[in-house]
């Protein structure tokens, strides 16, 4: 059973959204019900180019469905092994695959941070897949993705999986016992995986010798207004000026007491038949999410945000009197042309705009629960424990780049639409973010826990480098590093965006200076940590 009616929007706007946003990182889209809908449809047909990488053997490790109550059920957790650099006595470098299939992470094992650290330390590289996110039947622990079946998808079970793996795994191609605490295990993750890496160091310090949290979203929140505000602050100024002008103008017109005015502004954007005004406002925010897909490596990143900015043009005072009978700024007119061309044009009959872009007007779209509905996984975690519902700033004095119609109620609507109460589990009225933040939140810290973030990363507001967090010293024992923008000829180049240190090139000397620098720093502090390792036996 497919998520959408056959042929809905074809391979057009809904597919283009994900193609714009890039590859596997697109799972971490800003959360609201319309974005989830577009994401799910695009995944059915996208084909995103990826850097070629070596082939690594895949193995499985048997995990219980529930670590805390014996259900009698198990599943096979997948992991991939790279022993090219391994020498006896070296560490195990494990990469947390996070909220996506582990086989999408092979470039990181081949030339990325796992390869870089393993090469420098004679280490064994591993990609460890997260429960539920596998692509083989044996690696998915349930028969479907209903609310009840997803109840074992939580932070506590995932952490117990990793601990059980580190404590008990045997590697088919390696002689000897490499489990902790006899071998130093270094846990690396990015974004949600970065939070997982930090949590593993805090929760299981006897098993996880060290951890690196890259763009780790360790602070869970309900109203995550900083995501778009960081884009506002760090994206090109002319582009943001055009967006601010458009959003201010659209908000004024879409909230007009005159129905004809409200309809006119939607019609300018080609969305006159989209019933629910917040859905219209949400679609205007979609191009902004491409900011997080900027990457120093063009084979990994996306140029979608740059193309969007180019379409908006440069700020001016020109106005356009539209065929719909309203006068709007040139910025809004250009924005409307972009939305028309990029999204609306691909929503063709017999599909209606509500079917293509609607939420409460197309509720059935969210109720399919077969195993192909992988969009349900991360959203379930969002709705139960993490939050991250993106909204405009609460302070009206802060300029907005998304509409004020995108309220917390709208952004979190996905939780009600997609997860009706089950027989054994009910999604809480609000995510239990306290369970996440009790592990440290902004202040999470531990010896041999490195915090690595990008200055321009829209997720930085949920990391220890958030503007809301306290600054702390950067030391070898507790590295605290922010990948900055580079200054050249008086012009600020883009700073680090989302887990900027994660990928690498086969020829590391060809990487940009800021990437070479962070990789060299990571090698240095990991080598320093390993000097302090003292193997011990299991108790």
């Amino acid at each position: 059973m497919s998520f959408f009616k056959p042929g809905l929007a074809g391979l057009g706007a809904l597919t283009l959204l994900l193609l714009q946003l890039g590859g596997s990182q697109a799972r971490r889209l800003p959360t609201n019900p319309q974005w989830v809908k577009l994401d799910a449809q695009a995944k059915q047909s996208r084909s995103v180019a990826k850097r070629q990488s070596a082939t690594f053997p895949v193995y499985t490790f048997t995990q219980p469905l529930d670590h805390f109550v014996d259900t009698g059920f198990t599943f096979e957790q997948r992991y991939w092994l790279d022993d090219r650099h391994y020498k006896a006595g070296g560490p195990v470098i494990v990469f947390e695959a996070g909220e996506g299939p582990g086989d999408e992470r092979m470039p990181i094992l081949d030339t990325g941070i796992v390869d870089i650290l393993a090469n420098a330390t004679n280490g064994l590289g591993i990609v460890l897949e997260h429960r539920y996110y596998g692509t083989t039947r044996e690696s998915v622990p349930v028969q479907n993705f209903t609310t009840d079946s997803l109840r074992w998808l939580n932070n506590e079970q995932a952490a117990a999986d990793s601990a059980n793996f580190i404590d008990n795994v045997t590697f088919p191609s390696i002689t000897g016992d490499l489990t902790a605490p006899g071998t130093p295990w270094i846990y690396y993750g990015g974004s949600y995986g970065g939070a997982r890496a930090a949590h593993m160091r805090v929760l299981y310090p006897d098993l996880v010798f060290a951890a690196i949290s890259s763009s780790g979203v360790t602070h869970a929140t309900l109203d995550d207004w900083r995501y778009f505000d960081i884009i506002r602050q760090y994206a090109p100024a002319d582009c943001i000026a055009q967006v601010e002008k458009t959003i201010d103008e659209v908000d004024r017109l879409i909230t007009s007491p005159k129905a004809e005015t409200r309809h006119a502004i939607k019609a300018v954007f080609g969305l006159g038949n989209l019933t629910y005004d917040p859905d219209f406002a949400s679609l205007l925010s979609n191009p902004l999410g491409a900011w997080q897909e900027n990457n120093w490596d063009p084979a990994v990143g996306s140029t979608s945000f740059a193309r969007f900015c180019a379409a908006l043009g440069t700020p001016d005072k020109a106005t356009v009197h539209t065929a719909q009978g309203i006068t709007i700024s040139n910025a809004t007119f250009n924005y409307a042309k972009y939305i028309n061309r990029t999204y609306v044009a691909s929503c063709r009959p017999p599909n209606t705009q509500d079917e293509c872009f609607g939420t409460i007007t197309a509720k059935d779209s969210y109720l399919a629960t077969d195993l192909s509905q992988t969009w349900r996984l991360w959203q379930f975690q969002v709705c139960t424990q993490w939050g991250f519902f993106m909204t405009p700033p609460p302070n009206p004095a802060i300029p907005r780049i998304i509409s004020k119609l995108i309220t917390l109620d709208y952004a979190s609507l996905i939780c009600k639409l997609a997860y009706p109460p089950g027989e054994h589990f009910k999604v809480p009225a609000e995510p239990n973010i306290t369970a996440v933040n009790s592990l440290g939140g902004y202040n999470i810290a531990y010896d041999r826990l490195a915090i690595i973030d990008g200055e321009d990363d829209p997720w930085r507001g949920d990391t220890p480098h958030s503007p809301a967090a306290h600054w702390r010293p950067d030391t070898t024992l507790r590295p605290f590093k922010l990948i900055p923008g580079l200054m050249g000829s008086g012009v600020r180049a883009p700073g680090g965006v989302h887990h900027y240190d994660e990928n690498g090139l086969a020829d590391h000397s060809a990487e940009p200076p800021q990437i070479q620098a962070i990789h060299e720093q990571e090698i240095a502090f990991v080598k320093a940590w390993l000097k302090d390792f003292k193997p011990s036996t299991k108790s």
Side-chain angles (χ1 to χ4, degrees):
M1 179 178 179
S2 64
F3 181 59
F4 289 95
K5 296 178 181 179
L8 180 58
L11 302 184
L14 306 182
T15 302
L16 282 171
L17 173 62
L18 261 289
L19 291 176
Q20 288 171 354
L21 292 180
S24 61
Q25 296 182 36
R27 287 184 301 276
R28 291 176 290 278
L29 292 173
T31 296
N32 77 41
Q34 185 190 70
W35 282 60
V36 171
K37 180 174 184 172
L38 300 183
D39 181 20
Q41 171 64 14
K43 281 180 179 177
Q44 293 179 2
S45 53
R46 63 177 168 153
S47 177
V48 180
K50 297 179 181 178
R51 181 178 295 284
Q52 295 296 311
S53 64
T55 300
F56 299 97
V58 57
Y59 304 99
T60 62
F61 178 83
T62 302
Q63 294 280 13
L65 174 63
D66 193 323
H67 287 272
F68 313 110
V69 176
D70 185 5
T71 65
F73 293 99
T74 62
F75 71 98
E76 296 301 310
Q77 185 176 32
R78 298 192 299 175
Y79 67 96
W80 289 259
L81 201 63
D82 176 18
D83 60 3
R84 293 176 298 179
H85 308 298
Y86 180 69
K87 294 181 181 178
V92 177
I93 314 292
V94 60
F95 179 86
E96 164 63 52
E99 69 283 32
D103 49 15
E104 292 185 357
R105 307 303 197 174
M106 294 305 100
I108 298 164
L109 195 59
D110 186 24
T111 61
I113 189 62
V114 176
D115 176 68
I116 291 167
L117 294 178
N119 187 34
T121 62
N122 299 324
L124 181 69
I126 292 176
V127 168
L128 183 62
E129 190 169 68
H130 195 293
R131 61 169 46 213
Y132 281 79
Y133 288 96
T135 56
T136 63
R137 187 64 197 88
E138 296 77 14
S139 63
V140 179
V142 291
Q143 298 293 321
N144 54 53
F145 292 149
T146 63
T147 303
D148 274 343
S149 293
L150 292 173
R151 68 187 185 272
W152 295 283
L153 177 56
N154 57 53
N155 300 334
E156 294 76 19
Q157 296 286 357
D161 283 343
S162 296
N164 188 34
F165 180 82
I166 295 169
D167 197 29
N168 293 291
V169 69
T170 57
F171 299 116
S173 61
I174 304 295
T175 302
D177 181 0
L178 267 63
T179 60
T183 298
W185 282 67
I186 300 172
Y187 209 106
Y188 178 101
S191 194
Y192 163 64
R196 290 259 297 116
H199 293 167
M200 288 302 297
R201 179 69 180 126
V202 170
L203 290 169
Y204 299 99
D206 293 337
L207 295 176
V208 177
F209 174 71
I212 301 174
S213 175
S214 179
S215 297
V217 288
T218 55
H219 177 80
T221 184
L222 297 179
D223 194 347
D224 196 6
W225 63 272
R226 292 188 188 277
Y227 180 94
F228 284 107
D229 196 57
I230 288 177
I231 297 174
R232 178 186 68 82
Q233 294 178 59
Y234 289 94
D238 280 357
C239 180
I240 292 302
Q242 296 289 78
V243 175
E244 288 178 6
K245 180 183 283 189
T246 297
I247 296 305
D248 184 66
E249 188 166 41
V250 167
D251 273 358
R252 175 173 53 81
L253 295 171
I254 198 64
T255 57
S256 168
K258 297 180 179 180
E260 60 268 26
T261 301
R262 298 195 299 272
H263 182 269
I265 187 59
K266 289 200 291 186
V268 168
F269 282 82
L271 294 164
N273 293 319
L274 187 57
T275 304
Y276 192 40
D277 290 347
D279 290 337
F280 162 70
S282 174
L283 193 59
L284 271 56
S285 72
N286 283 333
L288 300 171
W291 175 256
Q292 80 173 57
E293 304 308 322
N294 286 328
N295 193 278
W296 59 268
D297 181 358
V300 174
S302 166
T303 60
S304 294
F305 194 88
R307 295 197 302 272
F308 165 65
C309 288
L312 298 188
T314 56
D316 58 35
K317 296 182 179 180
T319 59
V320 177
H321 188 72
T322 70
Q324 292 77 20
I326 57 174
T327 299
I328 57 176
S329 67
N330 201 37
T332 299
F333 187 68
N334 288 340
Y335 208 129
K337 288 192 295 183
Y338 181 85
I339 294 295
N340 266 285
R341 181 176 68 252
T342 309
Y343 302 107
V344 179
S346 295
C347 181
R348 302 185 181 96
N351 306 302
T352 68
Q353 291 189 343
D354 281 339
E355 287 175 316
C356 291
F357 309 118
T359 55
I360 63 171
T361 55
K363 295 180 181 179
D364 289 348
S365 300
Y366 298 90
L367 296 179
T369 59
D370 63 271
L371 295 182
S372 71
Q373 311 304 318
T374 54
W375 64 270
R376 296 180 64 82
L377 301 176
W378 175 240
Q379 293 307 317
F380 182 81
Q381 293 187 260
V382 162
C383 291
T384 52
Q385 293 187 302
W386 290 91
F388 301 140
F389 303 117
M390 277 68 175
T391 59
N395 182 351
I398 299 175
R400 301 187 313 279
I401 63 171
I402 64 171
S403 171
K404 62 185 178 182
L405 297 189
I406 305 176
T407 62
L408 181 59
D409 284 344
Y410 177 79
S412 61
L413 186 60
I414 183 65
C415 302
K416 295 178 180 178
L417 292 174
Y419 306 105
E423 181 181 352
H424 304 288
F425 187 84
K426 181 179 179 181
V427 170
E430 290 184 346
N432 182 16
I433 61 174
T434 301
V436 176
N437 295 333
S438 64
L439 297 177
Y442 287 140
N443 300 315
I444 195 166
Y446 217 92
D447 289 353
R448 298 190 300 277
L449 168 59
I451 305 295
I452 314 289
D453 293 308
E455 186 175 10
D456 296 7
D457 185 1
W459 289 101
R460 181 164 61 86
D462 304 309
T463 76
H465 277 101
S466 170
H470 296 293
W471 197 258
R472 55 177 102 166
D474 173 26
T475 67
T476 299
L477 193 58
R478 296 187 176 193
F480 189 70
K481 299 182 181 295
L482 188 66
I483 303 174
L486 296 178
M487 300 297 294
S489 303
V491 178
R492 182 185 184 277
V497 190
H498 209 43
H499 38 71
Y500 232 43
D501 63 314
E502 192 174 274
N503 51 295
L505 302 178
D507 178 5
H508 295 301
S509 66
E511 296 166 359
Q514 64 187 142
I515 301 305
Q516 291 187 52
I518 191 63
H519 287 163
E520 289 168 1
Q521 291 167 32
E522 287 171 310
I523 290 171
F525 64 65
V526 166
K527 283 185 171 181
W529 291 345
L530 290 172
K531 290 179 181 178
D532 295 333
F533 176 71
K534 296 178 177 60
S536 59
T537 57
K538 297 182 186 295
S539 57

